[in-house]
Amino acid sequence: MSKIDLEKLNIEEIHQALSKKIFSSEELTKKYLARIKQDDTNAFISLNENALDEAKAADQKIKSGQAGVLVGVPLAVKDVILVAGQKATAASKILENYTASYTATAVARLKAAGMVILGKTNCDEFAMGSSNENSYFGPVLNPHDKSRVPGGSSGGSAVAVAANLAPVSLGTDTGGSIRQPAAFCGVVGLKPSYGRVSRYGAIAMASSLDQIGPLAKTVKDTAYLLHQMAGFDKYDATSSTEPVADYLKDIDKDVKKIRLGIPEEYFLSGIDPAVRQAVEGKINFLEKAGFKIKAVKLPYTEYGLAAYYLLMPAEVSSNLARYDGILYGMSPDKNLSLDDWYKSVRSQGFGSETKRRIILGTYILSAGYFDAYYKKAQKLRSLIKNDFANVFKQVDALLTPVTPTTAFKIGEKSKDPLSMYLSDIFTVGANIAGICGLSLPIGQDKNNLPIGLQILAKPFAEDILFKLGYYIENNY
Ligand code: GLN
């Protein structure tokens, strides 16, 4: 087997090596699987037993000489996304033994392009969390410092890329779950605009906020994956018919025409000085490079977290009502009345954060409280959306930190839900407004922990994120 350097590989390099027969997809897949087996970060929940067969099929396609760029490239998939015949646990005890009967559209499109599924990655239960500590299968460790969290909820997907267990992965982002772990682990993560990628086959957390998106080592890799996954899907009525741009074609063109905005509300006191310094350093760099930069205002930012932590649990309580132990999920062994059956399944099957959100959401939606909480939060949602719409009349992209701090210690926030929720302060806005956002590694703090820059753009302007991200990644 030729030497394969997993540390360095990105999609284009894999494609070239496969085309030139430097190594085969089977050899590459074997190498990743071996690395995953040795790994001690707990990034994966299960491996794909058919991975090597899929790789061999890809090698056949390559032999025929007409393979596209994704053929034979391995992929890790967050365990809330369905792949037919493979377990999909959502990192929950209640779905511990659930095997998916169909494949999510996003994954089906990547498989159709020849990608090889390595396995399913660990995450917070039903994607609820910011630290990956809420998994029934145990926490995931940050490869940069194993006493720290990788972020969440797509912690396993971020670690898979950061620890070279997969070249690229898929996550989901409802309030920051792709961007925040990408920032904590030093990889690139994209939350597509709402409706850009089909949600069919993604286990629903909060349906009006959820999106599937890619994590990778480079901006181009996220663009390759999005290009393949994006576009209307008849199985998801909220997927958009907006045409999908050819993101790669002009990724290095006209970048300096992009007008940049800096929202003052994202630079509060209280953010870690190292994070502030890194982000401001990048802004200064871009200004010197000739970009037009202006200060802008998003006055409703301070209500973002409150709106998110009302809307999201309301949708969670409704989406998770289906886990009753009858159609699927665990079943109690005794002959119980219907009420006792539900109680038994749901109290044993869900973890404590999931229960907290189901209870909160049920309360928020209940008669008497609906107007006070849910309706008000919906009004806030409109105001926050308007904030972004106004700002995107003046500028094309916003630059902000992804998170107020770098990766925190395991256990540091898990006893204090409020402080955990605060770590989503800069990411929830994009989900509430349905816009797109990219998290890009731009440096380290004094403990060598990665720092991320967030770039936000209006709905379906992912091309702007890629151009700017690609420029920043390649000019420093
Ligand atoms: N950290 C956020 C939460 O706990 C976001 C989760 C997500 O995006 N899936 O809800």
Side-chain angles (χ1 to χ4, degrees):
M1 189 191 298
S2 334
K3 179 145 176 33
I4 305 176
D5 187 356
L6 298 185
E7 263 68 33
K8 299 227 173 70
L9 287 178
N10 61 36
I11 289 176
E12 285 177 351
E13 284 158 7
I14 293 174
H15 176 62
Q16 272 177 24
L18 294 176
S19 312
K20 290 187 190 144
K21 315 268 184 296
I22 295 170
F23 50 75
S24 66
S25 176
E26 187 185 351
E27 287 167 331
L28 180 65
T29 302
K30 268 191 189 149
K31 189 128 190 190
Y32 277 117
L33 291 173
R35 177 77 75 105
I36 294 168
K37 283 184 187 140
Q38 283 165 8
D39 175 63
D40 60 358
T41 60
N42 201 22
F44 280 76
I45 291 177
S46 60
L47 294 182
N48 175 16
E49 287 169 8
N50 300 320
L52 291 176
D53 288 341
E54 291 174 17
K56 281 181 205 160
D59 285 330
Q60 285 307 320
K61 270 196 202 158
I62 293 161
K63 259 194 202 139
S64 75
Q66 18 166 298
V69 70
L70 295 177
V71 175
V73 177
L75 171 76
V77 178
K78 183 177 182 180
D79 213 19
V80 297
I81 303 173
L82 306 190
V83 183
Q86 292 184 49
K87 288 262 176 77
T89 67
S92 180
K93 184 179 179 190
I94 212 162
L95 289 180
E96 191 179 4
N97 297 311
Y98 171 66
T99 299
S101 54
Y102 66 98
T103 299
T105 300
V107 175
R109 289 180 179 177
L110 296 175
K111 281 187 79 165
M115 294 195 88
V116 174
I117 313 284
L118 293 170
K120 307 296 293 293
T121 54
N122 203 345
C123 54
D124 285 298
E125 185 179 15
F126 287 103
M128 295 189 242
S130 313
S131 68
N132 221 127
E133 292 166 292
N134 299 335
S135 168
Y136 173 63
F137 300 94
V140 178
L141 313 183
N142 190 320
H144 296 277
D145 174 349
K146 294 200 176 120
S147 68
R148 291 176 189 270
V149 304
S153 63
S154 313
S157 295
V159 170
V161 175
N164 302 300
L165 309 174
V168 287
S169 63
L170 293 186
T172 57
D173 192 312
T174 303
S177 276
I178 290 174
R179 289 161 289 156
Q180 186 251 25
F184 279 9
C185 293
V187 302
V188 182
L190 171 77
K191 184 204 95 73
S193 310
Y194 188 75
R196 183 68 301 176
V197 176
S198 167
R199 291 179 295 110
Y200 180 68
I203 293 176
M205 174 183 164
S207 308
S208 76
L209 303 161
D210 298 342
Q211 269 294 289
I212 295 175
L215 296 102
K217 286 202 203 87
T218 67
V219 172
K220 262 192 172 179
D221 283 1
T222 58
Y224 276 116
L225 292 194
L226 183 70
H227 188 252
Q228 186 61 32
M229 291 190 286
F232 178 71
D233 173 20
K234 66 176 181 195
Y235 296 118
D236 174 4
T238 65
S239 68
S240 172
T241 53
E242 186 82 18
V244 180
D246 186 347
Y247 304 123
L248 277 310
K249 192 168 145 266
D250 294 325
I251 199 164
D252 54 355
K253 306 253 158 65
D254 293 332
V255 65
K256 293 201 178 159
K257 288 190 185 152
I258 299 174
R259 298 163 303 165
L260 304 179
I262 313 300
E264 62 182 38
E265 296 80 2
Y266 283 65
F267 292 83
L268 311 167
S269 58
I271 66 173
D272 182 337
V275 173
R276 176 191 290 270
Q277 226 174 27
V279 174
E280 289 179 346
K282 268 301 163 213
I283 294 169
N284 291 338
F285 165 79
L286 292 170
E287 192 154 37
K288 281 200 195 104
F291 283 85
K292 287 217 169 58
I293 303 190
K294 89 185 244 182
V296 293
K297 285 201 167 77
L298 293 164
Y300 285 98
T301 300
E302 62 172 309
Y303 300 104
L305 269 183
Y308 175 77
Y309 276 94
L310 290 167
L311 297 170
M312 175 274 295
E315 295 187 29
V316 162
S317 83
S318 146
N319 271 328
L320 270 58
R322 72 190 66 164
Y323 303 105
D324 55 10
I326 294 174
L327 193 53
Y328 38 64
M330 48 186 277
S331 307
D333 20 64
K334 284 171 273 154
N335 252 345
L336 299 172
S337 70
L338 190 60
D339 273 1
D340 287 342
W341 173 290
Y342 287 155
K343 262 187 220 155
S344 163
V345 168
R346 290 169 69 84
S347 57
Q348 286 171 48
F350 290 132
S352 56
E353 181 61 27
T354 302
K355 284 180 191 155
R356 182 180 356 258
R357 295 190 192 198
I358 292 173
I359 293 167
L360 275 172
T362 309
Y363 178 80
I364 290 161
L365 290 175
S366 59
Y369 295 101
F370 182 87
D371 285 358
Y373 295 114
Y374 188 76
K375 224 170 168 185
K376 255 201 186 147
Q378 285 290 31
K379 287 183 181 163
L380 274 176
R381 184 174 197 160
S382 300
L383 293 169
I384 292 167
K385 256 190 172 161
N386 288 344
D387 259 5
F388 280 109
N390 287 336
V391 156
F392 286 129
K393 283 180 196 144
Q394 309 160 44
V395 297
D396 305 304
L398 299 171
L399 301 178
T400 81
V402 183
T403 53
T405 67
T406 51
F408 46 87
K409 292 264 186 197
I410 293 174
E412 191 180 321
K413 295 183 198 268
S414 48
K415 297 274 167 316
D416 180 1
L418 261 188
S419 84
M420 188 73 91
Y421 298 168
L422 278 171
S423 63
D424 302 329
I425 188 159
F426 300 140
T427 49
V428 294
N431 303 76
I432 292 173
I435 63 173
C436 55
L438 187 80
S439 173
L440 190 70
I442 53 161
Q444 283 103 27
D445 69 5
K446 61 179 191 311
N447 298 317
N448 292 321
L449 297 171
I451 296 172
L453 170 75
Q454 177 171 244
I455 312 174
L456 299 171
K458 70 181 181 196
F460 307 110
E462 280 84 357
D463 57 324
I464 290 193
L465 303 182
F466 293 137
K467 282 181 186 209
L468 192 60
Y470 183 73
Y471 178 86
I472 296 173
E473 186 179 68
N474 292 290
N475 293 276
Y476 40 86

